[in-house]
Amino acid sequence: RDGTDSDDDTEVDEEAVAALYGAGGAGKAGGKKKRKATTESLSTLLRQALSSNDDGQLEVALHVRDKKVIENSIAALAREDEERAGEEDSDASGDDMITKLLGKLVDRLGRKPGRAEELSVWVQTVLLILISGKSMSRRERNVAAKLAPLRSMLNERVESLPHLLRLEGRLSLLGQQL
């Protein structure tokens, strides 16, 4: 392990980085001007990553920190989902992009809870888009299923809090006695 925040089973996809940030990359090379991801490039990368189930591309996309770009990109995906849902009367096509993204985010939080701060903007934005969506009834079952692991993880954390606080108190008492 190299200690990075990326998932254990994903590698950085250099083509995805180039697609997101342009030919100059993310600006890590010395002397090059740092380039920012755009709404268009991020939504394209998200769409490709989710439709092809490419965790490497998705991981590149999840490293974007600009809240406005994230919000606009997820909103663009939601608009595409709404348009697609209008063209198709049935839900036979499976999960839409937003629901898939939520599932991937919850999966990452379950595997690496330390990424909660990093992924919180993503989860918050997806949930706000889902709640405000016109076709919420069509998605309710899928969203509830995708949120179940997050709910159980949060319940586990809440249940362990009193034990941790008690332990902290004992350690504090021991520290004062020494």
Side-chain angles (χ1 to χ4, degrees):
R1 288 187 186 184
D2 60 1
T4 62
D5 285 342
S6 64
D7 285 348
D8 297 336
D9 59 350
T10 58
E11 296 178 12
V12 174
D13 185 347
E14 295 301 325
E15 289 179 21
V17 172
L20 183 60
Y21 295 105
K28 293 178 184 174
K32 289 192 177 181
K33 191 175 184 180
K34 186 170 182 176
R35 302 182 84 173
K36 287 185 154 192
T38 64
T39 298
E40 183 179 339
S41 64
L42 182 58
S43 60
T44 301
L45 185 60
L46 284 170
R47 188 179 324 101
Q48 290 172 351
L50 293 169
S51 62
S52 66
N53 205 21
D54 186 339
D55 285 339
Q57 280 187 334
L58 184 59
E59 199 56 45
V60 170
L62 293 178
H63 280 86
V64 173
R65 299 285 174 263
D66 186 336
K67 187 175 180 178
K68 204 66 173 160
V69 171
I70 293 169
E71 290 171 351
N72 292 336
S73 298
I74 292 174
L77 280 180
R79 282 191 300 275
E80 290 174 16
D81 282 345
E82 293 294 330
E83 291 169 5
R84 200 173 306 114
E87 295 170 3
E88 302 171 5
D89 291 334
S90 68
D91 195 23
S93 62
D95 289 349
D96 53 26
M97 294 291 179
I98 298 298
T99 309
K100 281 183 185 178
L101 179 58
L102 179 62
K104 297 277 189 181
L105 290 168
V106 169
D107 182 54
R108 279 168 170 68
L109 283 172
R111 282 188 283 140
K112 287 195 165 193
R115 292 186 71 187
E117 185 177 349
E118 175 186 344
L119 297 176
S120 65
V121 171
W122 286 89
V123 172
Q124 177 185 15
T125 304
V126 168
L127 289 175
L128 287 173
I129 293 288
L130 284 171
I131 290 168
S132 65
K134 295 175 187 169
S135 61
M136 183 59 187
S137 62
R138 179 176 66 88
R139 296 179 177 163
E140 283 177 3
R141 222 172 299 143
N142 288 339
V143 171
K146 301 286 184 185
L147 287 175
L150 181 62
R151 182 179 182 178
S152 64
M153 181 183 69
L154 290 173
N155 283 336
E156 289 172 12
R157 303 281 189 277
V158 167
E159 289 173 8
S160 66
L161 181 63
H163 302 292
L164 291 172
L165 290 174
R166 197 173 4 203
L167 179 61
E168 180 186 36
R170 289 178 185 164
L171 289 172
S172 176
L173 284 173
L174 282 173
Q176 289 174 358
Q177 290 176 356
L178 294 177

